[in-house]
Amino acid sequence: QVQLVESGGGLVQAGDSLRLSCAASRRTFSDRSMGWFRQAPGKEREFVAAINWSGKITYYVDSVKGRFTISRDSAKNTMYLQMNSLKPEDTAVYYCAAGRGPYPNILAGTYAYWGQGTQVTVSS
């Protein structure tokens, strides 16, 4: 079983930055792809970013390209999402997820484990 714990959310103003962290409980983190998803009130959960097991392949949803950066530190069993130039439309609960294998994917169904979520609120 892999447990994931997100942290780093908060209330910020438009244009500010936040860094989310996702700490995994086991070393199996190093063999899996990882991803970030978000869910705004009244909306479906949507893909934000994903990274492969080595950290060399990343995917982003178009709306965050150039503003968000996903990364991972296997020595710390931790994944990050650096979010810059935040916009009110980025407001959501952000979830980290661990994939079933080493390759990243944009589909939520391909992820085996999920964190509890962390709230990000961006005021205008």
Side-chain angles (χ1 to χ4, degrees):
Q1 186 77 6
V2 175
Q3 292 184 335
L4 304 173
V5 179
E6 302 98 334
S7 61
L11 172 62
V12 297
Q13 294 186 332
D16 286 350
S17 297
L18 278 176
R19 189 177 79 157
L20 304 184
S21 298
C22 173
S25 63
R26 294 181 56 179
R27 287 191 59 81
T28 50
F29 165 89
S30 63
D31 299 324
R32 297 178 184 269
S33 63
M34 300 290 293
W36 287 99
F37 289 76
R38 66 187 179 186
Q39 188 167 19
K43 294 188 177 182
E44 297 287 322
R45 186 172 300 191
E46 69 166 347
F47 167 78
V48 176
I51 189 167
N52 78 323
W53 69 276
S54 70
K56 294 183 179 180
I57 300 174
T58 57
Y59 296 154
Y60 297 93
V61 67
D62 286 347
S63 61
V64 308
K65 285 180 180 177
R67 300 188 299 122
F68 291 11
T69 302
I70 188 171
S71 62
R72 64 191 296 163
D73 184 336
S74 294
K76 297 182 179 179
N77 291 343
T78 301
M79 174 180 66
Y80 305 98
L81 185 68
Q82 178 66 43
M83 305 187 294
N84 299 329
S85 302
L86 282 161
K87 303 176 180 180
E89 51 263 44
D90 295 319
T91 295
V93 177
Y94 283 70
Y95 299 90
C96 72
R100 301 181 190 277
Y103 303 109
N105 200 295
I106 67 172
L107 299 177
T110 64
Y111 291 82
Y113 302 100
W114 293 82
Q116 82 288 351
T118 185
Q119 177 71 47
V120 172
T121 303
V122 184
S123 64
S124 58

